[in-house]
Amino acid sequence: MSWRPASWQSRKALQQPTYADQAALEGAVGQLSKLPPLVVSWEIEALRERLAAAQRGEQFLLQAGDCAESLAECESDRIAKQLKVILQLSLVLLHGLKKPVIRVGRMAGQYAKPRSADTETRDGVTLACYRGDIVNRPEFTPEAREPDPQLLLRGYERAGLTLNFVRALIDGGFADLHHPEYWDLGFLHHSPLRVAYERIVRDIGDSLDFFHALSGSQVHEARRVDFYASHEGLHLMYEQAQTRFIPRSQRWYNLSTHMPWIGLRTAQLDGAHVEYFRGISNPIGVKVGAAMDDAWLQELVTTLNPQNQPGRLTLIHRFGARDIEKSLPRLINAVRATGHSVLWVCDPMHGNTESTKSGVKTRRLENIQQELELAFQIHAAHGSALGGVHLEMTGEDVTECTGGARGLSDADLARDYRTQVDPRLNYEQALELGMMIAERSKKVRLP
Ligand code: PEP
Ligand code: CO
């Protein structure tokens, strides 16, 4: 079966928009395929090697960001805050786990969303569903919901602007491990977690000083913080247009992001997404849920990583606190039976979504913490290891998930609920989750 960037087009592609004007779509995709790539293959390979190290238990993946980015919120303050909270969280994890943390943002291209229904009906009026800012707009009007091919270009541009800003901040020393005070989010001063976080920052500063005294010149390397981008590779025309052949390595790469992933709703073995993903050389993720049977998962593993290349395949499981004990052991054993290795990551968000009595979509921090805790325990009990965590969170003080040190309740959700799609942890809830991981790993290390 030969593979081409467009070979997915002969398969069934779920969750794709229907464009009224094919010529306009082809025009936009044609432009997109000529524009420069957003990332380069050697960065992608560097990430794959780090993920291979995580697979061996030597590093830990933190993949985090918005459920859906929006074109309008491509703003410096928001991006800087998102980066800061990811950096802070990575510091907490580094301190607790005592291993390098791989920082991967759900950023710079997380614009296409899978939906449970193709249409939405309000007061007897039915329109196409909102599929993310790269496709259409969320307002409930026929104009806003019409898929617009130009949005593919707007999404690519915003992804480029986001990445450019993130790279500049990181290269400019913003992410210098010696100066975590630059990452201060202001509202941390009023947080019940402040003391614990400041102790971690002090400890890391002390160990860097110690490292400096010990190894002199090498300290420069310890400062470097890498940051990678990822998004759900859902909109296949967009992904195809940014897929390039690299003559040096004789391989195809998706150069719109470092690590695209296949969502839960589009992981069918005979589907277009699996066909597209099998041909690109990026490290890739696949979301895995309770409905996946053993044979399905096994075939995904062998189809997407036939050479069993280390770092190539990350399985991001998302069961919900209630189902993880039933489903995860089975899937660990199923993958083991293939003889292939994967990186196991827990997404404790998507299986724990619920609605309040008044119909607001939310998640409880206690369920998120519980699923994550169980994930660590179940992997350990089955001779496997949890090598990362996948979170939806924001650097802003939103009220979308309940619980946490401030005890947010259903009634508090109305205060600052902004997400268009899934509820995110706010900066404080995210740090609290990070501290839980750090604390548990200290306990686990005790004899
Ligand atoms: C997501 O990550 O936002 C998402 C839709 O997840 P899943 O595919 O696991 O439902
Ligand atoms: Co989501």
Side-chain angles (χ1 to χ4, degrees):
M1 289 171 296
S2 68
W3 181 92
R4 306 292 298 164
S7 57
W8 62 268
Q9 293 185 18
S10 62
R11 305 281 189 93
K12 191 171 164 63
L14 296 182
Q15 299 282 345
Q16 306 302 295
T18 311
Y19 292 95
D21 185 343
Q22 279 304 308
L25 174 65
E26 279 162 31
V29 171
Q31 276 187 55
L32 201 54
S33 55
K34 289 199 207 83
L35 287 165
L38 300 179
V39 304
V40 291
S41 63
W42 55 91
E43 294 169 346
I44 293 174
E45 284 301 321
L47 174 60
R48 194 184 51 71
E49 277 167 25
R50 294 200 59 188
L51 294 167
Q55 217 170 286
R56 296 191 299 270
E58 296 159 10
Q59 304 200 16
F60 192 80
L61 172 66
L62 168 61
Q63 186 173 23
D66 287 308
C67 179
E69 289 176 292
S70 85
L71 297 182
E73 286 185 356
C74 180
E75 294 169 343
S76 55
D77 185 53
R78 206 196 58 82
I79 297 166
K81 280 184 182 151
Q82 186 67 280
L83 183 61
K84 281 177 177 181
V85 73
I86 294 174
L87 290 171
Q88 287 190 339
L89 187 52
S90 72
L91 201 68
V92 171
L93 295 176
L94 170 77
H95 184 256
L97 298 166
K98 306 271 181 275
K99 49 178 99 165
V101 175
I102 311 165
R103 301 167 189 86
V104 177
R106 285 176 62 116
M107 269 174 112
Q110 178 53 21
Y111 294 119
K113 296 308 298 173
R115 304 317 303 260
S116 42
D118 286 342
T119 57
E120 184 183 343
T121 302
R122 290 191 200 171
D123 302 327
V125 180
T126 300
L127 296 176
C129 67
Y130 168 62
R131 291 191 179 276
D133 273 15
I134 206 166
V135 174
N136 56 5
R137 287 179 284 120
E139 299 84 61
F140 195 73
T141 64
E143 301 75 37
R145 293 297 173 87
E146 185 61 37
D148 177 359
Q150 284 298 311
L151 292 174
L152 291 166
L153 291 160
R154 300 295 87 77
Y156 159 84
E157 291 154 4
R158 293 290 204 277
L161 294 171
T162 304
L163 212 48
N164 180 58
F165 186 48
V166 167
R167 290 188 197 278
L169 286 174
I170 285 187
D171 291 347
F174 173 84
D176 188 331
L177 279 176
H178 281 105
H179 293 287
E181 68 275 12
Y182 297 171
W183 314 349
D184 196 343
L185 278 156
F187 21 69
L188 194 64
H189 296 297
H190 313 288
S191 169
L193 305 174
R194 196 187 94 214
V195 176
Y197 179 69
E198 284 176 351
R199 199 182 53 235
I200 290 172
V201 167
R202 249 196 329 274
D203 271 12
I204 295 213
D206 289 351
S207 31
L208 280 176
D209 289 347
F210 177 67
F211 184 65
H212 185 46
L214 211 66
S215 60
S217 60
Q218 282 168 25
V219 77
H220 188 69
E221 282 157 33
R223 262 183 200 195
R224 243 184 83 83
V225 161
D226 288 324
F227 193 89
Y228 299 96
S230 69
H231 65 251
E232 177 173 349
L234 183 69
H235 194 306
L236 289 173
M237 276 301 193
Y238 181 79
E239 307 303 329
Q240 178 193 320
Q242 283 278 308
T243 304
R244 310 284 160 88
F245 187 69
I246 306 295
R248 194 170 42 88
S249 59
Q250 294 284 301
R251 290 159 172 268
W252 290 94
Y253 287 89
N254 179 332
L255 299 182
S256 74
T257 193
H258 299 105
M259 183 189 185
W261 76 84
I262 304 179
L264 187 78
R265 292 165 189 77
T266 49
Q268 296 74 18
L269 286 167
D270 56 356
H273 290 80
V274 169
E275 171 59 19
Y276 170 74
F277 273 73
R278 83 178 168 91
I280 55 171
S281 302
N282 305 56
I284 60 172
V286 183
K287 292 286 199 88
V288 170
M292 215 170 246
D293 65 26
D294 294 6
W296 180 356
L297 184 62
Q298 288 169 332
E299 209 168 321
L300 277 176
V301 168
T302 51
T303 304
L304 293 170
N305 191 13
Q307 313 292 336
N308 196 16
Q309 184 189 32
R312 156 75 175 167
L313 185 60
T314 297
L315 296 182
I316 306 162
H317 55 71
R318 30 87 86 225
F319 301 109
R322 232 180 304 156
D323 286 341
I324 186 169
E325 286 167 291
K326 208 166 53 213
S327 298
L328 182 56
R330 172 175 70 77
L331 294 180
I332 293 173
N333 290 331
V335 171
R336 178 169 297 126
T338 64
H340 286 227
S341 301
V342 301
L343 174 64
W344 287 105
V345 167
C346 174
D347 164 0
M349 313 297 297
H350 287 88
N352 291 309
T353 315
E354 57 187 285
S355 285
T356 64
K357 282 199 197 76
S358 48
V360 182
K361 224 177 170 191
T362 190
R363 293 163 172 157
R364 298 173 205 229
L365 186 63
E366 69 208 51
N367 291 340
I368 293 169
Q369 285 176 322
Q370 199 198 346
E371 178 165 3
L372 197 52
E373 174 58 33
L374 287 169
F376 276 108
Q377 290 178 12
I378 295 167
H379 278 288
H382 290 79
S384 171
L386 187 69
V389 54
H390 182 112
L391 303 175
E392 287 185 345
M393 61 187 222
T394 168
E396 285 163 296
D397 196 12
V398 300
T399 55
E400 298 171 5
C401 293
T402 58
R406 284 181 201 264
L408 288 187
S409 68
D410 285 3
D412 291 314
L413 295 179
R415 205 167 61 231
D416 199 351
Y417 192 95
R418 296 185 215 171
T419 180
Q420 289 291 348
V421 194
D422 288 338
R424 302 159 295 177
L425 298 172
N426 63 29
Y427 79 97
E428 221 171 45
Q429 293 167 328
L431 276 187
E432 193 167 339
L433 194 65
M435 287 180 188
M436 176 210 108
I437 299 172
E439 279 305 312
R440 80 172 302 286
S441 65
K442 277 190 218 145
K443 284 190 213 116
V444 169
R445 266 202 301 276
L446 290 176

